[in-house]
Amino acid sequence: MGGHKGSTIAALALLVACAAPATADVNVTALCLLVSNGNYVASQSDCSTYYQCQGSTFTTMSCPTGYYFDKNAQQCTGSVPSTCTSSTSPCLGKAVGTFAASSTSCGGYYYCGASGAQSGSCPAGENFNPTTQACVYKNNYPCTDSTSSDSLSTPSVALNLCNLVKDNLYFGSPSNCSGWNFCQDNILHSGSCGAGLVFNVQASNCGYRMTSSCSQVTNDPSLTGVANNPTTCTTAGSMIAATACNQYYMCSASLNYQLMTCPSGFFYDTISKACVTRMSARNNCDRCVGTTASFVNAYSATNCSDYLYCVNGVQKAVESCPVNYYFNENTGSCTNGVEPQFLCCNPTGSTGLTTTTTTATTTTTTTAAPAADTGSKTDTSADSSAGTSSDTTKTDTSSGTSDTAATK
């Protein structure tokens, strides 16, 4: 194995028996907003799972048995990519004598020995680079440990976006509308568009601001490394709402909140304390999440007259129907006199829309917190039209060099 002097991982004396790490993954909804439609992104915790992105929505896909997703090839292959991390079987598919990266610590790794995986850790100030299989200085391999606000917890996600997004693709920043990212040899390079310009995710270049701009800016803690989840709780099994409609916190046996994610298409209902169908969820949250619609009903405890303007699954503005009109997201328009019987906006007047419950199947440690961008007034009968964007030179802040995005 290569690496700078004193940082080789040949010192197997540091290895200890491998304990099964906790499952960890990024918020895929927020991740998909960073890349253009149709791209596949890898899972943070399972080498055979990947996601096809379409705005804020995604389709979960799995490779056949014995195959693993290669994010650069954008397909399943018979060999395990070096960038793949698995929270349950870190050495699955890897040859004896090789090393695997940890999915929960930037400086963590596993030695894949004949008797199984054994964990180890790089020296302080260094990260493990799975491509070179060596500990390197942090500036040579950018990686973020996303930590819980609970001081008793350990880092839950070790994130290098280039382990998930393919090389040679410009993609957006989750915290800066003008920011862009680019992966080369699985190393992340970041920069910002010029003055007055923002990054256009779908065109993969810098351009002028338009209606759909900045929907990639969610400030999601699983992507930014800044956690904001609640900490201790008092009653095991109790639940409270999270920021995102499709997530909630459950109190564990150790009296610490665990973030749970509802199955695709379901929202957390604060009354029944269960995952239910979208229209049945009584939850004051951004109801644009997980939908491709341009307009959806806003949450309300009184009536269904308000609605949200959505761009790529993120709320951009709140609008209201005229007096005596009510919004119906099934038709996408304001209707006169007849209020829809949706529990999400008419919980007391509803005649009892069937509430289909389900059990959350995924535990993560992130909170989707879409930032509200300034949205313009919109007509309820038509979506906004897309503008044109122009390319510009992007300055790479990580290496001091300049990159120019390819024209799409």
Side-chain angles (χ1 to χ4, degrees):
M1 294 177 53
H4 58 77
K5 184 177 180 180
S7 298
T8 181
I9 315 179
L12 298 182
L14 295 176
L15 297 175
V16 295
C18 170
T23 300
D25 208 344
V26 299
N27 187 315
V28 184
T29 294
L31 176 63
C32 277
L33 285 170
L34 304 182
V35 301
S36 54
N37 291 339
N39 273 284
Y40 298 105
V41 294
S43 167
Q44 174 72 7
S45 57
D46 184 354
C47 296
S48 295
T49 298
Y50 61 105
Y51 311 96
Q52 184 178 36
C53 296
Q54 190 73 26
S56 67
T57 63
F58 62 89
T59 302
T60 303
M61 310 186 80
S62 296
C63 296
T65 302
Y67 284 78
Y68 311 93
F69 179 68
D70 187 323
K71 55 96 178 180
N72 288 332
Q74 292 280 281
Q75 63 183 15
C76 296
T77 63
S79 58
V80 181
S82 63
T83 54
C84 139
T85 58
S86 172
S87 60
T88 55
S89 302
C91 288
L92 180 65
K94 297 184 183 294
V96 172
T98 61
F99 293 80
S102 167
S103 64
T104 59
S105 170
C106 291
Y109 60 86
Y110 295 92
Y111 173 71
C112 301
S115 59
Q118 296 176 294
S119 63
S121 182
C122 293
E126 298 179 7
N127 291 334
F128 177 75
N129 184 330
T131 302
T132 61
Q133 300 239 309
C135 290
V136 298
Y137 292 120
K138 289 184 176 181
N139 62 320
N140 291 329
Y141 187 75
C143 177
T144 299
D145 279 327
S146 297
T147 58
S148 167
S149 58
D150 177 4
S151 61
L152 299 178
S153 298
T154 56
S156 57
V157 178
L159 181 67
N160 174 8
L161 286 171
C162 291
N163 287 344
L164 310 178
V165 180
K166 70 177 182 178
D167 276 357
N168 304 315
L169 171 73
Y170 284 93
F171 59 99
S173 163
S175 58
N176 180 2
C177 188
S178 296
W180 55 263
N181 293 297
F182 182 81
C183 299
Q184 186 174 29
D185 296 327
N186 302 318
I187 301 296
L188 184 70
H189 301 269
S190 301
S192 184
C193 298
L197 299 176
V198 298
F199 185 75
N200 184 324
V201 170
Q202 297 307 320
S204 298
N205 58 34
C206 293
Y208 295 106
R209 185 184 294 269
M210 50 187 181
T211 306
S212 61
S213 294
C214 303
S215 60
Q216 74 272 22
V217 179
T218 60
N219 290 302
D220 187 273
S222 71
L223 300 179
T224 63
V226 180
N228 59 0
N229 55 298
T231 54
T232 57
C233 45
T234 57
T235 306
S238 63
M239 293 173 283
I240 60 173
T243 304
C245 293
N246 62 342
Q247 295 180 319
Y248 62 98
Y249 291 101
M250 176 178 284
C251 187
S252 68
S254 58
L255 300 183
N256 290 307
Y257 275 120
Q258 302 282 326
L259 187 66
M260 312 291 289
T261 300
C262 295
S264 178
F266 287 79
F267 280 1
Y268 178 70
D269 180 46
T270 60
I271 305 302
S272 65
K273 305 290 186 180
C275 292
V276 302
T277 54
R278 274 177 46 86
M279 304 308 295
S280 303
R282 293 155 291 186
N283 190 336
N284 189 12
C285 57
D286 178 3
R287 297 194 69 258
C288 291
V289 172
T291 180
T292 57
S294 297
F295 304 99
V296 299
N297 281 89
Y299 167 81
S300 174
T302 55
N303 61 65
C304 298
S305 61
D306 293 338
Y307 60 96
L308 307 179
Y309 169 49
C310 308
V311 176
N312 289 334
V314 177
Q315 176 184 324
K316 290 300 178 182
V318 180
E319 307 287 350
S320 296
C321 293
V323 177
N324 295 326
Y325 279 74
Y326 301 98
F327 188 76
N328 187 326
E329 71 176 64
N330 289 334
T331 61
S333 62
C334 293
T335 56
N336 184 15
V338 181
E339 184 173 14
Q341 303 298 291
F342 299 150
L343 286 175
C344 66
C345 58
N346 187 13
T348 56
S350 174
T351 56
L353 182 69
T354 300
T355 301
T356 303
T357 62
T358 188
T359 303
T361 57
T362 304
T363 303
T364 63
T365 50
T366 64
T367 304
D373 198 5
T374 302
S376 57
K377 281 282 184 180
T378 60
D379 186 81
T380 60
S381 61
D383 195 0
S384 58
S385 59
T388 57
S389 62
S390 59
D391 297 330
T392 187
T393 299
K394 306 183 182 79
T395 303
D396 185 342
T397 57
S398 64
S399 61
T401 61
S402 293
D403 295 317
T404 301
T407 303
K408 285 283 182 181

